[in-house]
Amino acid sequence: MNSLPAWQISPALLQELTKVLTPTGFADYAALTLLAMIGTTYLSRGIIWDQPDPYNYLWYERPQLKMAGAAGPNAHQETRNIAQKLEEADKNIVVFWGSQSGTAEGFAHRLAREIALRFRQGTLTADLSDYDPESIAQIPRSKLAIFILSTYGEGDPSDNTAELWDWLHKEENNASLSNVRYCAFGLGNSNYKFYNRVVDVVVQALDGRGAKALMPVGRANDAEGATQEDFISWKDELFAMFKSQLGFEEGEMQYLPTLAVEEDESLEPIDLNHGEPDARDASRASAQCSPVRPVAISNTRELFQVSDRHCLHMELDLSSVPEFTYKTGDHLAIWPSNPDVEVERLLQVLGLSARREVPVSIKSLDPATKVRIPTPTTAAALFRYYLEICAPVNRDTVLGLAQFAPTPEAKAYLLQLGQDKTAYANFLNRTHVTLSRLLQLAAPDHAWSALPLSYLVETLAPIQPRYYSISSSSVLSPRKPSITAIVSTTPVPENPEELIHGITSNYLLALSQHRSSPSNPHPHGLTYHLNGPSNALNSERVFAHLRKSKFKLPRTGNTPLIMIAAGTGLAPFRAFISERRQLQQIGREVGQMILFFGCRRPDEDYIYKEELEALQEGLGGKLRIETAFSRYERDGGVKRQYVQDKIVECGDEVVRLLVEERANLYICGRAGMAREVEKRVGGEMCRVQGWQEGDGQWNEWCKGLKKRQKWQEDVWG
């Protein structure tokens, strides 16, 4: 008997199936409708709903891959093997840098250039994210690796050090580094608990795999502003080691450019980079940062109640940048421009005022040297948008400038100034010395026409963005993030009449003043090109990008919060509390919150006071605010109190929330304040819990909190 093929159904069987499958009631029709809806929804995925974000790839691209276009036509063929790169470029020394703010990167370029000039040794600078970390093991013994690594936050490595960091921490990684000879220098701040942790951890890992250190690790400490001098001292020791151990011969220091900066009047304005950060934003579009874009300013307002100090609340509008999305606790970076007075003075002292808009092309004279500035451009754009011309000049640069002095007197002045560490420190205490001011002081009646533009491009650091904690909630204000910026104006220590103006904050103040009234000047007379390059900003926008942060609210709204802030450190907590209030309004349970906030005086710089009081009332007992005023006049005297003092006053409650309620603790503000707060919290924990200070119980408990993200810090300086 032959059976039917699997794909054939007899008429009788088909009739029976039809009877069974025919809907006979409301329940059947409802079920069929539901199945149809589910099927339609599934099939329409990616077409009608759940469409991929067309800009999502920007968050995951490697910065070094996006930079390929700026590095030259063959950049996409660059090897990621550092040993191979050294061989191809015929270099004996590689200076690796891991940098978050640009300081370590600047040191690396300075060091590589000086090694080449002093010792005629081929030297390559290397962004750690540009090379596979495992290729370090292939560097031959005949070559030398130098690591310059910064530490930030809670002992964290910079973004571009992440691959090396992860590779060194892999348990299965047993690669031998016995061929590697190295030296290392770290950048840190002793106000932070994990001072220079990154360089220490990396050196320990290198040594553990057999690498040979040729000299002790150098460490810079920015707590007292000594980073530049610490680097110079370590560099001197490094060069002494070169001569004593490696047999390098030191020659006469003569400037040999690695870049050519040449005028090219055949270029049209459309060919130039006028200051737009488009060519630079590739280096920012990493997994943590968005690209740089012009962002509209929605409104600004002054937060301080006094006329001689300023704090800005600035709200931005992301409507024109759909690829920008932020989460509560993230950072927003502002790209500033230099003030007109510094730009004009530098153009004048170099004799370039009349040729400020002449096109210049920047080309590398060494295949291993990357051009870090957008090209082609103009001298005016270089000094206004692309180079840090307002930073204090270090002694290395003072001595380097002497060779280009227009008069013997100017040369002698610079040499005398730069050769004495103590004398130069005293000089800086009396005078704020930017590059243009120094050149003008050395030769007040002469133009520095012999100073090559290439030297300045090689020596000055590229301008960096400044990061601000976003002070709005992404739940309440998803397209209008706000920042809170205190305007930095610091008197010179021994000359209070002379002021040092923070670059970005004063730029924002000028923008805010202009928006309120175009005739309203900056309080100190500073002016800026507020319209931006090619009028791209029109006094209504800023160049900005977003950076993701780990400083986040807990996932559960009923987790208690302890928030500790001083000054503008209040910014993210304004967002946290506002978001908690919104959760409460939609019927969600929220946990107990206590905010410790410190400032000078309640009637001067207690920012967001009315908002906080309204939130406190609306939250109905869920928010407690403890304030500390460091210059509060009461009963004929000044009572100084800081947030760490309030921690002690409220010690029982703080410990109860941490231990019994499993609260999250957050600190935002200066690193020195955060360090003192941790000491006081530790002291109160030991008192209440009966722990002996120094026996390790508090340290282990605190370490566990931080590991579980129950203790988070967003600190600076």
Side-chain angles (χ1 to χ4, degrees):
M1 181 177 177
N2 296 327
S3 60
L4 290 171
W7 51 269
Q8 283 189 356
I9 301 177
S10 68
L13 180 58
L14 181 62
Q15 186 176 9
E16 290 299 318
L17 288 172
T18 302
K19 290 179 181 179
V20 173
L21 296 175
T22 300
T24 59
F26 175 79
D28 290 345
Y29 281 108
L32 285 173
T33 302
L34 179 61
L35 288 171
M37 291 173 64
I38 292 171
T40 301
T41 301
Y42 178 79
L43 293 173
S44 65
R45 182 181 182 184
I47 301 172
I48 298 175
W49 68 283
D50 195 26
Q51 298 184 59
D53 180 358
Y55 300 101
N56 198 51
Y57 71 94
L58 291 169
W59 296 94
Y60 302 100
E61 288 187 351
R62 289 181 184 271
Q64 64 271 17
L65 297 183
K66 293 202 71 178
M67 283 297 287
N74 298 318
H76 64 283
Q77 299 175 358
E78 288 285 338
T79 177
R80 285 185 54 80
N81 184 309
I82 186 58
Q84 182 181 336
K85 179 66 176 180
L86 286 169
E87 199 64 36
E88 290 175 354
D90 192 24
K91 305 293 184 183
N92 296 325
I93 301 173
V94 56
V95 184
F96 291 108
W97 56 268
S99 185
Q100 196 70 16
S101 65
T103 305
E105 179 184 1
F107 283 166
H109 290 292
R110 261 172 67 186
L111 180 62
R113 189 169 63 252
E114 193 165 346
I115 291 172
L117 295 178
R118 281 179 179 263
F119 299 97
R120 301 298 187 265
Q121 294 291 323
T123 309
L124 170 74
T125 55
D127 179 339
L128 280 164
S129 67
D130 282 344
Y131 297 95
D132 296 322
E134 56 266 25
S135 68
I136 293 174
Q138 300 173 30
I139 297 176
R141 184 177 292 273
S142 60
K143 301 186 185 297
L144 174 67
I146 300 174
F147 295 86
I148 300 182
L149 305 171
S150 65
T151 298
Y152 83 103
E154 283 292 286
D156 298 319
S158 61
D159 292 342
N160 75 312
T161 311
E163 286 184 79
L164 173 67
W165 189 261
D166 293 343
W167 180 71
L168 291 173
H169 284 80
K170 284 183 180 177
E171 291 184 6
E172 66 275 15
N173 177 12
N174 56 5
S176 172
L177 299 175
S178 57
N179 285 332
V180 177
R181 299 184 305 166
Y182 78 93
C183 304
F185 182 77
L187 284 77
N189 186 316
S190 60
N191 283 331
Y192 291 80
K193 182 177 181 180
F194 298 98
Y195 166 61
N196 262 313
R197 175 174 178 251
V198 171
V199 73
D200 290 340
V201 169
V202 168
V203 163
Q204 183 180 10
L206 293 173
D207 292 345
R209 288 168 173 77
K212 181 183 179 182
L214 298 186
M215 61 182 289
V217 177
R219 296 177 180 84
N221 187 358
D222 200 43
E224 303 297 331
T227 296
Q228 291 286 347
E229 286 298 336
D230 289 340
F231 175 72
I232 292 172
S233 297
W234 173 80
K235 178 169 62 69
D236 290 343
E237 294 173 8
L238 176 73
F239 290 169
M241 183 274 292
F242 280 178
K243 292 182 284 188
S244 63
Q245 291 189 41
L246 303 183
F248 290 174
E249 293 185 6
E250 185 172 6
E252 184 181 353
M253 185 80 166
Q254 291 183 338
Y255 174 59
L256 296 174
T258 58
L259 299 173
V261 182
E262 300 171 347
E263 291 188 351
D264 186 352
E265 297 191 63
S266 67
L267 294 169
E268 298 294 330
I270 196 172
D271 301 322
L272 306 180
N273 294 275
H274 296 281
E276 303 87 348
D278 292 342
R280 298 175 296 169
D281 66 3
S283 66
R284 300 288 144 192
S286 66
Q288 300 302 316
C289 297
S290 73
V292 183
R293 295 288 183 263
V295 178
I297 301 169
S298 178
N299 64 65
T300 64
R301 72 176 191 267
E302 176 67 62
L303 296 178
F304 283 175
Q305 306 301 314
V306 290
S307 59
D308 59 338
R309 297 174 65 221
H310 301 273
C311 185
L312 301 175
H313 175 88
M314 179 171 284
E315 188 177 278
L316 304 170
D317 187 347
L318 304 182
S319 300
S320 62
V321 277
E323 67 266 42
F324 275 25
T325 56
Y326 79 97
K327 297 295 183 183
T328 304
D330 283 347
H331 301 137
L332 189 138
I334 301 291
W335 291 79
S337 70
N338 289 311
D340 292 337
V341 62
E342 293 292 341
V343 175
E344 295 303 320
R345 186 191 292 120
L346 188 51
L347 287 168
Q348 180 181 3
V349 79
L350 294 174
L352 293 175
S353 295
R355 304 189 66 76
R356 67 177 66 212
E357 300 298 342
V358 174
V360 294
S361 291
I362 307 172
K363 299 175 183 177
S364 174
L365 299 177
D366 182 344
T369 300
K370 292 183 179 179
V371 177
R372 297 183 292 158
I373 301 297
T375 180
T377 184
T378 64
L382 275 175
F383 297 149
R384 190 178 301 280
Y385 298 108
Y386 292 136
L387 294 174
E388 292 272 12
I389 67 170
C390 295
V393 183
N394 61 70
R395 281 197 304 121
D396 276 352
T397 301
V398 173
L399 294 172
L401 288 167
Q403 62 190 303
F404 308 113
T407 66
E409 293 77 15
K411 182 175 183 178
Y413 175 84
L414 292 178
L415 290 175
Q416 182 180 6
L417 191 62
Q419 287 170 347
D420 190 325
K421 173 181 175 180
T422 303
Y424 192 62
N426 292 334
F427 177 72
L428 291 181
N429 281 333
R430 299 190 306 272
T431 311
H432 176 48
V433 183
T434 62
L435 176 64
S436 64
R437 294 182 185 192
L438 177 67
L439 298 179
Q440 202 171 53
L441 279 171
D445 301 319
H446 295 82
W448 288 67
S449 53
L451 177 55
L453 204 49
S454 60
Y455 181 85
L456 298 182
V457 174
E458 292 172 354
T459 303
L460 298 177
I463 205 163
Q464 297 290 328
R466 274 58 170 182
Y467 288 93
Y468 296 92
S469 297
I470 295 177
S471 54
S472 57
S473 162
S474 59
V475 171
L476 292 168
S477 186
R479 304 308 296 162
K480 288 192 174 181
S482 63
I483 59 173
T484 308
I486 191 166
V487 179
S488 173
T489 304
T490 308
V492 173
E494 295 181 14
N495 183 10
E497 298 300 315
E498 187 173 358
L499 302 175
I500 303 171
H501 300 286
I503 301 301
T504 307
S505 60
N506 280 278
Y507 165 68
L508 292 178
L509 178 59
L511 263 173
S512 178
Q513 299 281 90
H514 180 82
R515 281 176 53 82
S516 64
S517 171
S519 60
N520 193 14
H522 185 284
H524 299 288
L526 295 177
T527 59
Y528 299 80
H529 191 61
L530 300 179
N531 285 337
S534 304
N535 293 322
L537 303 178
N538 197 27
S539 303
E540 297 291 330
R541 296 171 180 266
V542 290
F543 285 120
H545 73 265
L546 294 167
R547 183 175 72 181
K548 294 181 181 180
S549 168
K550 297 178 182 178
F551 199 74
K552 299 295 183 186
L553 280 165
R555 293 186 178 183
T556 54
N558 59 0
T559 301
L561 307 179
I562 300 170
M563 298 166 285
I564 306 160
T568 55
L570 181 61
F573 300 140
R574 174 182 183 262
F576 283 12
I577 297 167
S578 299
E579 192 158 310
R580 279 286 176 93
R581 171 61 176 144
Q582 179 67 15
L583 286 175
Q584 186 193 59
Q585 286 183 311
I586 62 174
R588 299 276 294 277
E589 182 184 353
V590 298
Q592 187 68 37
M593 293 172 282
I594 181 168
L595 170 68
F596 295 94
F597 173 65
C599 61
R600 291 186 180 184
R601 299 180 180 89
D603 57 348
E604 178 179 316
D605 53 0
Y606 187 169
I607 59 176
Y608 301 119
K609 182 176 185 289
E610 291 76 16
E611 285 185 35
L612 289 172
E613 290 173 347
L615 286 167
Q616 186 176 28
E617 183 178 352
L619 283 159
K622 288 291 185 178
L623 174 64
R624 172 179 169 185
I625 300 176
E626 294 288 340
T627 52
F629 305 109
S630 62
R631 302 185 187 181
Y632 187 30
E633 297 181 11
R634 189 171 61 186
D635 300 330
V638 177
K639 182 180 180 182
R640 294 185 179 275
Q641 193 174 41
Y642 301 94
V643 286
Q644 55 264 35
D645 301 321
K646 280 291 183 180
I647 294 292
V648 175
E649 285 185 13
C650 306
D652 290 338
E653 177 68 2
V654 169
V655 173
R656 186 189 70 79
L657 286 171
L658 286 173
V659 177
E660 298 178 17
E661 303 294 331
R662 299 185 180 278
N664 278 22
L665 185 145
Y666 299 87
I667 307 174
C668 188
R670 292 199 169 274
M673 177 272 291
R675 184 184 58 190
E676 291 300 317
V677 164
E678 183 169 332
K679 286 181 183 178
R680 304 300 174 88
V681 174
E684 292 306 297
M685 280 291 297
C686 291
R687 178 183 64 81
V688 176
Q689 297 291 95
W691 296 343
Q692 293 296 318
E693 292 192 33
D695 66 1
Q697 286 177 290
W698 156 247
N699 286 335
E700 286 301 312
W701 192 82
C702 182
K703 189 184 297 182
L705 280 185
K706 292 179 179 180
K707 189 174 182 179
R708 299 193 306 275
Q709 298 295 305
K710 299 283 289 180
W711 180 307
Q712 298 182 35
E713 297 182 8
D714 187 357
V715 298
W716 57 87

